[in-house]
Amino acid sequence: MDTQVRGTFEFSLVNGVGGDPCVYLRSLKSGDACLFDLGTLTPLSHRQLLKVRVVMISHTHLDHFIGFDTLLRATLTDSKPIHFCGPYGVATQIQSRLKGYTWNLIDDDQIQYFIHEVDRDGVCQHFSLNNSDGFKLHETSRSDPVLSSSSCPLPSRPQAFLANFSDEARIEAVCLDHGIDSVAYLYQGGIKFVFKVDEAQRLGLTPGPWVKELQLHVSENRYSEVIKVAGNPWKVGDLAAEVLQYSTPRMVGYVTDCVFSWDNIKRIDRLMNHVELLICETNYQSEARDRALKNRHLTAKQTALIAAYIKAEKLVNFHI
């Protein structure tokens, strides 16, 4: 399993370019790891699996979900919460997998999962479940020290914000057409802020705790809210435009199992335009485009066209 380092993270195709879909990504800043899809996990060590804090499932076809039991077994004694993201209905599927076993020999709250579902309109639902009450699903907006989550419906932009990591990286997602919903993901770095001291002084403002408060509001897209600075109310969006210069690195895009359609391409572009690294399926050779269309997959040429259209800096093919 070849591991590649890019800036603040490292990643590897767990099963190579031709095996089950699964990408292991670890933040070099926090040490936390995440998985894109749950194909076979046997190449990963127990130590690597214990670092997984979030799993991003595109859909639950067998080759994308078969590794669930391996992850469950490896993390069973860890007792740390794990977050799962996926399409509508994935919470019930995870619940069903857990209920398939007998659990009389484990402690209360030993298994704690938070599950975030996203639909084609970019609307999220959030659930929690644990072994203490027989894995009942509880709808929630709860956050914990590892991740914070919130629903973010965007009617004209069907991508959804799902969660923030402890190192300020964040996950966004969008549903694509694979005959069923197949979720594409963007893993991006925390917002980089530059405080413009001269502009603040021109407005008669001096640096203080309000700067971090402003940055927090911006990172959570709360531009319309009002904060007080030096006793005066300021709309977050207006003040940020004056005193902050900021950008969000678009780090890793993950696209798998979708048809080559204009709607899918537009959705991918909205989510990950100018992404640094695009990891994208290449299920068929270009000559087999009719079969690819029938099975709602991509060809090599179509993958390259998508990468060029969204201006991806680097393309990594897999699921060949």
Side-chain angles (χ1 to χ4, degrees):
M1 188 175 67
D2 181 33
T3 298
Q4 300 182 42
V5 178
R6 281 185 67 90
T8 59
F9 64 91
E10 62 180 19
F11 77 97
S12 57
L13 300 177
V14 174
N15 300 298
V17 297
D20 284 354
C22 185
V23 176
Y24 183 85
L25 185 148
R26 186 176 72 89
S27 166
L28 299 179
K29 183 177 179 181
S30 68
D32 292 336
C34 62
L35 291 170
F36 294 92
D37 268 330
L38 275 175
T40 302
L41 297 181
T42 49
L44 292 173
S45 68
H46 190 83
R47 182 177 181 182
Q48 286 175 307
L49 289 173
L50 285 175
K51 294 181 184 296
V52 173
R53 299 267 55 86
V54 61
V55 180
M56 291 165 276
I57 300 166
S58 62
H59 60 296
T60 53
H61 280 162
L62 186 65
D63 55 338
H64 294 257
F65 199 50
I66 194 67
F68 178 85
D69 289 0
T70 303
L71 179 66
L72 170 63
R73 188 173 188 178
T75 58
L76 182 59
T77 59
D78 189 44
S79 297
K80 291 180 181 177
I82 297 178
H83 291 249
F84 292 84
C85 306
Y88 178 80
V90 75
T92 302
Q93 291 175 297
I94 290 173
Q95 179 192 45
S96 298
R97 294 293 287 268
L98 292 169
K99 282 189 170 184
Y101 293 98
T102 302
W103 298 105
N104 62 308
L105 298 178
I106 62 174
D107 297 329
D108 287 346
D109 296 325
Q110 189 166 326
I111 299 174
Q112 300 180 68
Y113 288 170
F114 296 94
I115 306 168
H116 316 285
E117 298 182 345
V118 57
D119 67 15
R120 290 187 64 81
D121 295 321
V123 178
C124 300
Q125 286 185 289
H126 307 281
F127 302 91
S128 67
L129 55 74
N130 63 65
N131 61 285
S132 300
D133 60 1
F135 301 110
K136 292 180 180 178
L137 278 177
H138 302 278
E139 193 163 357
T140 179
S141 59
R142 174 185 174 183
S143 61
D144 71 11
V146 178
L147 295 173
S148 63
S149 306
S150 64
S151 175
C152 184
L154 299 170
S156 62
R157 302 177 63 197
Q159 65 264 38
F161 162 63
L162 290 178
N164 277 335
F165 281 84
S166 58
D167 64 356
E168 297 181 349
R170 57 188 272 140
I171 300 168
E172 294 186 18
V174 67
C175 285
L176 306 177
D177 174 23
H178 179 47
I180 57 173
D181 284 346
S182 178
V183 184
Y185 293 96
L186 175 69
Y187 173 94
Q188 59 183 22
I191 297 177
K192 296 181 179 179
F193 293 100
V194 175
F195 179 66
K196 298 187 283 188
V197 179
D198 292 343
E199 292 299 318
Q201 290 177 343
R202 181 181 61 80
L203 296 171
L205 303 175
T206 56
W210 64 268
V211 177
K212 284 194 173 182
E213 183 184 2
L214 178 65
Q215 291 174 344
L216 178 63
H217 278 65
V218 169
S219 67
E220 296 180 352
N221 297 319
R222 292 185 281 155
Y223 297 104
S224 61
E225 293 190 14
V226 175
I227 63 173
K228 281 196 173 183
V229 181
N232 297 315
W234 281 89
K235 190 174 179 179
V236 168
D238 295 339
L239 183 57
E242 296 285 351
V243 302
L244 291 182
Q245 181 179 333
Y246 49 93
S247 63
T248 304
R250 305 175 74 75
M251 300 167 71
V252 182
Y254 178 83
V255 176
T256 186
D257 292 31
C258 68
V259 68
F260 188 70
S261 69
W262 184 236
D263 181 65
N264 276 347
I265 294 169
K266 287 190 294 183
R267 285 169 174 263
I268 295 168
D269 186 50
R270 288 189 188 117
L271 179 65
M272 55 187 78
N273 184 265
H274 283 94
V275 72
E276 295 176 27
L277 172 66
L278 174 63
I279 302 173
C280 190
E281 70 137 311
T282 305
N283 214 259
Y284 289 93
Q285 293 181 344
S286 298
E287 294 78 9
R289 60 183 179 276
D290 290 339
R291 288 179 59 202
L293 179 62
K294 178 182 177 182
N295 294 315
R296 290 180 166 84
H297 278 283
L298 297 173
T299 69
K301 183 176 181 179
Q302 290 167 350
T303 298
L305 289 170
I306 290 172
Y309 185 83
I310 70 172
K311 300 179 178 63
E313 185 177 307
K314 180 180 175 64
L315 170 64
V316 172
N317 297 116
F318 81 119
H319 207 191
I320 297 173

